[in-house]
Amino acid sequence: MKATILSAFRKVDNASFSLRKVGLTAVLLQALVLGLTYSLLLFNPGKYLTSDHYDGTKSYFSIATFLQQPMGDGMLVRGHNYPFGEYMYYTDSAPIVVAPLHALVQAVPALAPYGLYIYDLFILSSLVISTGLLVLMLHRLGLPAWFVVLLSVALPWLNPQAVRLNVGHMNLTYTPAILFVLWRLQVLYAAWRAGAPLARQFVVLLVGIVLAAWIHFYYLALMLGTMGFFVLVLLYQSVRAGRPWRPLLLGMAGVAVGAVALTWGLLQALDPRIHERPVGSNGYDWIEWRFQFTALFKGYVYNKVQFPLERTSGVPYESSAYLTSFVLFGLLLVGVLLLLKRLPAEARLPQPSADATEGFLQCLLLACVPMAFIALGENIDLDNGNYVLHNYLNVFRWLHKVTDRVTQFRALGRFIWPFWWAVVLCFSWYVARWRFIPRLRWALLVLVALLVVDTVNATHFYRTQAQAPNLLRTSDDSPVRTLLGWPAKGRYQAILPIPFYHVGTDWSDEPTNLNLDPDDPLCNTTYQLSMVSGLPLMAHKAARAITGQAEALYSVFQPGGPSPALLERLDQRPILVYLDTAYYDGRNNYYRDMLRDRPTMRAVFERAPAFIQEQHMVRIAHQGSQSLYEWFPKGQPTPGPASR
């Protein structure tokens, strides 16, 4: 029996597959896995989304309202932050995808109900594209065909970006952005070793980085940083070996300047409000957004196989970077065998040689180590904060002394992603050699089984937790529609939710903190009201919001009413005010608890009932704890008693 299994193993290993056949097999298999995992969403167009909470609904709402707007509005999203609106670049909504999608649904109105579905197809297709990129990389690493297929299908589900779907960060799940830069660095390395011209390689890198940055601007820093450190390693090796180094330096500089100009520079021209936005950003180096080293050993909620050395406390989602059972148990085995002096000589790492595969992996790992130091933050807390280790190896620490703009990349934990891929790719190449070592061949089979188990558990999790009914698509008998009724089109100019929320501004200390995060059910209900009525929200959730706009909107709740500047922007039509009294009568203490230590914003929250009375609003609908009022901010034509 043993001989039969080993014989089959060798036959599969020695199978002569072309790159095209391997790639086609892996892509088709990934498409099948994707179809089974996201069957509800994929085969019921428009009825399901990947997220129904937190930032996910915010992005979906921004896209949905934007797609309904006329093309003449440009990239301004009018669905929230009324009467100012907000530009698509600050709503986590992939401008490079949503802009052409907007043109498509405007040109073909029949596609309008499926706008979010098409967007989700783009996001989910990243799994298949990642598989294709991994095949190209792993094939160059000399891995056997069966192992290439397995890794290229499994790893896209297990990498740290995938878990962002669970918090609604759809654009940050676009794994091809990171894999693209790693693949092109692999091609660049081969050209450099061969002494071939490098200009074409740098041009391709530039195009890829710019396109990915307009999906999410964090990719600009992640991809440029990885490329920059990789080229620095090559520069060192070139100088040491007496090889030409100027093409590397000029290429790196050209990509950096070009990418920054076509992303950040272009944003300066496209955003007419750029001068109102702060240079820096709050939250930079916050411990919850820094990478925590022990997260490498903390399994995700779906992992059934637990690593013996595992972190017991939870991991902030920005630190998610579990190295998989495949890698961790493999490293544990190697460590035990080394300790016992039983690791076969064939399994030891070879000395640096002329082999391009080993050279690339060495350069990649060296280049990604500085990225890991960035992820750890400027300071590393030890012993529950009793000691602080100043991270002088963090490049951002020194850039921060020059400019506050570096703090725009405040979620530092994301910089661990290239390092995660470098470790997994290096280990995959190393462990693939075990198939030639009789004493470790069975260990390889066990690690492969662990990889399959993790992948099965991951896909089950996403099938059950990352598919939700499309809450922005409500039926005629939904509670929101029952409450709202069928108001005359054009009667109202906007919706004012109470409790009010506005998220995304920066602050210097607590009294200046204008951010008021909504309770998720309340936020979702207001989004539904907006979609059903076609009215924009005065509330807002975005990034890098303008403080002056938030102050103007909060002035609504002042005893004297809205500021003159805000009134100037409003027209004569009434505003539809939505009130949920559950947050004021003790049934839901979300805001009271959240604002316990924030007296300024608590006062805004508690002013709402008095605001309704002072403005002589008329209640026009009531359902449970929810009510709708008419408010004439510029004066009520026919004043009436306020409803009780």
Side-chain angles (χ1 to χ4, degrees):
M1 180 68 178
K2 177 179 177 181
T4 302
I5 295 176
L6 290 177
S7 176
F9 191 98
R10 292 192 183 96
K11 286 180 181 178
V12 174
D13 182 36
N14 296 328
S16 179
F17 290 113
S18 68
L19 175 60
R20 180 176 297 180
K21 290 181 179 178
V22 172
L24 183 60
T25 301
V27 165
L28 290 177
L29 183 56
Q30 184 67 284
L32 176 62
V33 174
L34 177 63
L36 293 173
T37 303
Y38 282 98
S39 57
L40 283 176
L41 188 153
L42 294 174
F43 301 116
N44 296 279
K47 294 183 179 180
Y48 291 87
L49 302 174
T50 62
S51 175
D52 63 352
H53 53 275
Y54 304 129
D55 287 350
T57 44
K58 175 255 294 185
S59 296
Y60 279 128
F61 175 72
S62 297
I63 296 170
T65 56
F66 180 71
L67 296 181
Q68 295 175 350
Q69 297 175 190
M71 295 294 293
D73 286 337
M75 295 298 285
L76 184 66
V77 181
R78 296 191 181 277
H80 44 162
N81 202 40
Y82 181 85
F84 307 101
E86 182 56 281
Y87 284 91
M88 179 61 67
Y89 322 116
Y90 304 97
T91 61
D92 293 326
S93 301
I96 201 170
V97 178
V98 176
L101 180 57
H102 185 204
L104 176 64
V105 299
Q106 291 293 317
V108 187
L111 293 176
Y114 307 105
L116 293 181
Y117 176 72
I118 297 172
Y119 170 79
D120 274 337
L121 288 182
F122 169 78
I123 295 298
L124 294 178
S125 70
S126 67
L127 290 159
V128 179
I129 297 171
S130 296
T131 293
L133 291 171
L134 281 168
V135 168
L136 294 173
M137 294 185 66
L138 296 171
H139 177 79
R140 281 177 170 267
L141 295 181
L143 273 60
W146 65 270
F147 203 24
V148 170
V149 172
L150 177 62
L151 289 168
S152 60
V153 172
L155 294 180
W157 294 98
L158 304 177
N159 81 93
Q161 288 179 257
V163 299
R164 306 310 289 246
L165 277 175
N166 198 38
V167 290
H169 294 170
M170 288 82 72
N171 301 332
L172 289 173
T173 68
Y174 200 75
T175 309
I178 303 301
L179 289 178
F180 170 82
V181 76
L182 300 185
W183 168 53
R184 294 314 303 179
L185 290 177
Q186 190 180 31
V187 176
L188 172 69
Y189 181 81
W192 171 77
R193 286 185 67 95
L198 303 179
R200 180 175 179 274
Q201 309 305 330
F202 282 114
V203 169
V204 174
L205 277 166
L206 172 62
V207 173
I209 291 172
V210 171
L211 292 177
W214 285 102
I215 294 174
H216 199 291
F217 278 102
Y218 264 85
Y219 293 135
L220 175 65
L222 288 167
M223 298 171 76
L224 267 185
T226 304
M227 183 211 71
F229 289 124
F230 187 89
V231 173
L232 286 176
V233 173
L234 294 189
L235 280 170
Y236 169 76
Q237 293 188 0
S238 296
V239 172
R240 187 177 178 185
R243 301 182 58 179
W245 52 269
R246 287 185 179 83
L248 285 169
L249 183 61
L250 291 175
M252 178 177 68
V255 172
V257 172
V260 171
L262 293 172
T263 53
W264 178 79
L266 188 56
L267 182 62
Q268 310 304 299
L270 294 175
D271 179 11
R273 302 172 181 171
I274 195 67
H275 62 282
E276 299 179 64
R277 304 187 194 274
V279 173
S281 181
N282 287 127
Y284 174 76
D285 210 35
W286 182 37
I287 188 170
E288 292 293 310
W289 288 351
R290 299 193 312 240
F291 177 68
Q292 299 175 22
F293 177 77
T294 52
L296 295 172
F297 311 98
K298 177 63 176 178
Y300 300 129
V301 64
Y302 60 74
N303 285 111
K304 306 301 182 186
V305 179
Q306 294 182 324
F307 186 62
L309 179 63
E310 186 170 7
R311 172 177 171 147
T312 56
S313 59
V315 170
Y317 62 82
E318 293 293 358
S319 274
S320 298
Y322 183 57
L323 279 174
T324 75
S325 304
F326 166 69
V327 173
L328 291 176
F329 278 93
L331 292 176
L332 178 63
L333 176 61
V334 172
V336 171
L337 292 177
L338 280 173
L339 186 63
L340 299 177
K341 299 182 179 180
R342 302 296 295 271
L343 185 69
E346 312 95 285
R348 296 174 185 172
L349 289 175
Q351 294 296 319
S353 65
D355 184 87
T357 298
E358 299 164 23
F360 165 71
L361 290 174
Q362 182 186 56
C363 291
L364 179 63
L365 195 56
L366 287 173
C368 290
V369 167
M371 298 293 285
F373 278 112
I374 293 175
L376 289 168
E378 294 191 9
N379 299 296
I380 303 171
D381 293 333
L382 303 174
D383 188 24
N384 294 321
N386 290 318
Y387 295 90
V388 172
L389 177 64
H390 300 293
N391 186 5
Y392 295 112
L393 297 177
N394 181 354
V395 174
F396 275 24
R397 182 185 185 92
W398 306 106
L399 288 176
H400 192 191
K401 295 180 182 298
V402 178
T403 174
D404 278 341
R405 289 198 183 277
V406 73
T407 64
Q408 293 287 350
F409 300 104
R410 57 190 180 184
L412 295 175
R414 299 170 189 176
F415 286 82
I416 200 64
W417 298 345
F419 179 79
W420 187 94
W421 278 109
V423 171
V424 172
L425 290 173
C426 288
F427 181 78
S428 299
W429 167 81
Y430 168 69
V431 81
R433 300 164 65 239
W434 290 7
R435 67 193 190 278
F436 300 124
I437 306 172
R439 284 186 290 171
L440 290 178
R441 188 175 290 139
W442 291 104
L444 175 58
L445 287 176
V446 172
L447 295 181
V448 165
L450 290 173
L451 184 64
V452 172
V453 169
D454 277 359
T455 306
V456 170
N457 291 333
T459 55
H460 173 74
F461 172 78
Y462 293 118
R463 183 170 67 251
T464 56
Q465 302 297 321
Q467 291 183 108
N470 184 354
L471 60 83
L472 300 180
R473 185 177 180 176
T474 56
S475 60
D476 289 347
D477 60 350
S478 66
V480 168
R481 171 57 76 186
T482 303
L483 173 67
L484 181 64
W486 300 89
K489 187 176 182 180
R491 172 171 174 76
Y492 301 101
Q493 59 178 308
I495 297 174
L496 175 66
I498 299 177
F500 186 70
Y501 59 90
H502 199 285
V503 184
T505 57
D506 287 330
W507 70 95
S508 56
D509 49 45
E510 183 48 44
T512 64
N513 183 2
L514 299 177
N515 292 287
L516 210 165
D517 289 282
D519 190 19
D520 212 41
L522 170 74
C523 186
N524 288 349
T525 300
T526 61
Y527 287 157
Q528 290 176 325
L529 275 171
S530 176
M531 293 300 298
V532 169
S533 66
L535 296 171
L537 294 173
M538 297 183 76
H540 188 44
K541 279 182 73 176
R544 318 305 190 264
I546 296 173
T547 300
Q549 295 177 356
E551 290 173 341
L553 288 167
Y554 279 122
S555 74
V556 164
F557 301 99
Q558 293 175 354
S563 66
L566 180 62
L567 284 174
E568 257 184 64
R569 287 182 168 269
L570 303 178
D571 58 41
Q572 295 294 332
R573 291 174 297 169
I575 286 174
L576 194 63
V577 177
Y578 167 78
L579 170 68
D580 190 340
T581 57
Y583 295 96
Y584 293 92
D585 61 16
R587 281 178 285 176
N588 190 326
N589 290 319
Y590 170 85
Y591 288 96
R592 296 189 188 280
D593 292 341
M594 180 180 66
L595 301 175
R596 183 179 292 113
D597 299 321
R598 298 182 58 192
T600 302
M601 297 310 297
R602 184 180 177 115
V604 173
F605 164 73
E606 292 179 340
R607 269 278 306 159
F611 160 68
I612 291 176
Q613 295 292 326
E614 291 169 0
Q615 294 294 319
H616 307 292
M617 296 183 193
V618 177
R619 188 166 70 178
I620 59 174
H622 177 67
Q623 181 176 275
S625 64
Q626 301 171 327
S627 297
L628 291 178
Y629 292 84
E630 273 190 352
W631 173 41
F632 291 82
K634 291 193 172 183
Q636 190 170 346
T638 308
S643 282
R644 294 183 179 179

